[in-house]
Amino acid sequence: MSKGTLFDKVWDLHTVTTLPSGQTQLFIGLHLIHEVTSPQAFAMLRDRNLQVMFPERTVATVDHIVPTDNQARPFADSLAEDMMVALETNTKTNSIRFFNVGSGHQGIVHVIAPEQGLTQPGMTIACGDSHTSTHGAFGAISFGIGTSQVRDVLASQTLSLEKLNVRRIEVNGTLAPGVYAKDVILHIIRTLGAKGGAGYAYEYAGSTIAAMSMEERMTLCNMSIEGGARCGYVNPDQITYDYLKGREFAPQGDQFDQAITWWQSLRSEADAEYDDVVIFDAQDIPPTVTWGISPDQAIGVDESVPTLTSFNTAEQPLIQEAYSYMDLAPGKPMLGTPVDVCFIGSCTNGRLSDLREAAKVAQGRHVAQGIKAFVVSGSEQVKQQAEAEGLDQIFLEAGFEWREPGCSMCLAMNPDKLQGRQISASSSNRNFKGRQGSASGRTLLMSPAMVALAAINGQVSDVRSLL
Amino acid sequence: MVQTMSKITSVSGPGLPLLGNDIDTDRIIPARFLRCVTFDGLGENVFADDRAQNNGTHPFDQPQYQAAKILVVNSNFGCGSSREHAPQSIMRWGISAIIGESFAEIFLGNCVAIGMPCVTATPDIVSQLQTLVATSPDIQLTLDLATQTIASDGFNAAVTLKEGNRQMFLNGTWDACGQLLHQSEQIKETAARLPYISWGKA
């Protein structure tokens, strides 16, 4: 087992007891909830006559089902409206802070908690959403849970869990121009596989990670789960502290200095022991796109769809399923693959720096004819900041739609969906069959800049061609 | 206030083979079915899109598997979204246990929390079991969590699950809520030790 890592320290500090089963009862410092995975949990509490033990440690927002065009209430979708009402009622009844639409703080749960300073180093963070791994960017131990576990956290602020192993993933060197955090994580998943991280927390380290902004680190940690790792994190450093300083829920004044001392003490020791170590060279990472139906089916944008024989026999049935579903033949170059819809947004890449990079590509150019392209900010705050910088105008002039914040077409629970066999270039995180709202719809994952360029050219393109 | 939980020591019944690696929770229950405030009715929509595309030939639609209790899958089953709606829809369809080569972490935790054991077996055993069930759909399988075996007439093989999870099924504490609440004083003490609890506004 690992020793002396941030994961070990934070785990130990939050351990309430060892349960008779041998599992750890772990205290959860911050619980985030949203409309999709919480209503049944509140119903279970009511059935059992249980109260919320620490209402001030849970924060709610609404993100998955909100329309990104007309947000007038009641929502056109009555089922979405029911979920909205349930969340409004449950948060009110249980005195839980709720960032509703129009509050100025609403947005994708994994975007708003960091931007409000709720997410802090050394915390344990749980949310009924697999992309909770995002918050690990701050040196928090954060992971997704299901609805019964949401109930457990509401009732007891704790969970029954088995400790994870820790794999250190070191990335060293300078990323080439046109290569982003999204490419780094897609490359890691491509190399270690979609189930390579099962049983592990990923500690991202090395000079490439140390040089990343907080938003880049969030993109990286966000997709840990696509690599099978329930949790991913980066040790906190000056970049973390500078990001947090002055944010609404961050410690203020003298407390902030005390906090830094504590946060520093949680960093993995230089002689920490890991269950596994994997090292990458930043120079080996190209702008990366997925070609298939699993996030590890990814290649450099200038590569061709891999041949069947490059995979082992156990993997081959899924690879064949991917060729057929995507209608992409082995050996076919990804460059030039026509796309129909281009989506910029999601908890992976819906933050201000993502929109800036996409806007740089869009500026002075125009979306190709017949392509639907839209930009969905990760939060109301991101949208306001982007508008203050004029990014909305750049996108609108280039022919992109500029939408209200939410999860949108990442998982298409709201009206934003692919139609039929449409193929999307998407800055989101999953290329699963049917993921984006059409049972036969297809998804190519890539960085926001590459999505913007795909929209301009109407086909998969290499962002390095603009450099 | 604390629920009395039922112990789960074994699951018996016919099997259902579902072939393929990396079957994600979006496939198990497409996102549009998550527009709900209860889990009621999810069972009929399990694998909705896959079943529609297979026109009645999907294993969950085939008549010979309609009484199945034990689902037999391959590797990384349940990857992707944390939606508990996925195991809920499988359970509400009629499945009581899953045997596979491997499971995604969050899915596995959700299955424990709702009392549906997921056990792993070697690829070879899973493959034998899938063949056995496909050729003899009526055959009764017994998954025994105490001995960690899957058995039927003429078939007996080892399965494994994490010891903590096994104990939770055997002791009837798979619904952890009541047990977690037993430690309410220790929970408060743990919170009081954490510096950030008193920082900031939250």
Side-chain angles (χ1 to χ4, degrees), chain B residues 31-46:
Chain B
R32 64 182 180 280
F33 298 110
L34 274 51
R35 287 152 53 247
C36 57
V37 294
T38 77
F39 291 130
D40 299 343
L42 280 179
E44 63 195 75
N45 295 315
V46 68

Side-chain angles (χ1 to χ4, degrees), chain A residues 14 21 23 25 29 48 77 83 129-130 146-148 151-152 195 199 248 259 262 314 318 430 432 435 439, chain B residues 21-22 24 26 34-35 53 75 80-82 84 105 110 164-165 168 175 177 180-181 183 195-196 199 201:
Chain A
H14 290 79
S21 65
Q23 291 196 334
Q25 181 172 4
R48 298 180 187 195
D77 175 357
M83 297 169 80
D129 193 289
S130 61
T147 297
S148 295
R151 170 203 66 203
D152 293 350
K195 51 178 171 273
E248 191 169 354
W262 188 62
L318 187 68
R430 288 183 176 140
F432 297 153
R435 168 76 176 181
Chain B
N21 295 334
D22 301 307
D24 59 80
D26 275 86
L34 274 51
R35 287 152 53 247
Q53 284 164 1
S75 75
S81 158
S82 65
E84 187 176 304
E105 204 99 26
N110 286 340
N165 292 338
M168 290 168 88
D175 181 330
C177 197
L180 294 173
L181 281 166
Q183 276 75 239
Y196 63 80
W199 291 339
K201 282 168 65 178

Side-chain angles (χ1 to χ4, degrees), chain A residues 66-78:
Chain A
V66 288
T68 57
D69 43 11
N70 180 3
Q71 297 190 322
R73 300 284 300 277
F75 292 152
D77 175 357
S78 65

Side-chain angles (χ1 to χ4, degrees), chain B residues 6-160:
Chain B
S6 52
K7 297 179 180 182
I8 301 172
T9 53
S10 67
V11 175
S12 294
L16 190 163
L18 184 69
L19 275 63
N21 295 334
D22 301 307
I23 293 179
D24 59 80
T25 54
D26 275 86
R27 282 175 68 188
I28 298 172
I29 187 82
R32 64 182 180 280
F33 298 110
L34 274 51
R35 287 152 53 247
C36 57
V37 294
T38 77
F39 291 130
D40 299 343
L42 280 179
E44 63 195 75
N45 295 315
V46 68
F47 289 105
D49 289 341
D50 282 7
R51 288 161 73 187
Q53 284 164 1
N54 281 279
N55 291 319
T57 64
H58 190 278
F60 275 81
D61 281 328
Q62 289 181 309
Q64 66 269 36
Y65 300 129
Q66 294 307 302
K69 291 275 174 250
I70 299 176
L71 179 63
V72 190
V73 300
N74 297 102
S75 75
N76 202 27
F77 187 76
C79 60
S81 158
S82 65
R83 60 189 71 169
E84 187 176 304
H85 307 65
Q88 288 278 0
S89 66
I90 292 172
M91 193 169 76
R92 283 159 194 269
W93 184 87
I95 296 295
S96 301
I98 313 180
I99 299 178
E101 291 171 36
S102 65
F103 296 91
E105 204 99 26
I106 303 177
F107 178 86
L108 183 70
N110 286 340
C111 289
V112 173
I114 66 174
M116 181 164 65
C118 294
V119 301
T120 55
T122 63
D124 190 40
I125 288 171
V126 166
S127 167
Q128 284 178 40
L129 205 52
Q130 287 175 330
T131 307
L132 174 71
V133 172
T135 46
S136 317
D138 296 331
I139 201 165
Q140 292 286 311
L141 306 174
T142 296
L143 170 67
D144 189 323
L145 297 181
T147 58
Q148 302 194 68
T149 53
I150 176 81
S152 70
D153 287 345
F155 185 90
N156 193 310
V159 297
T160 54

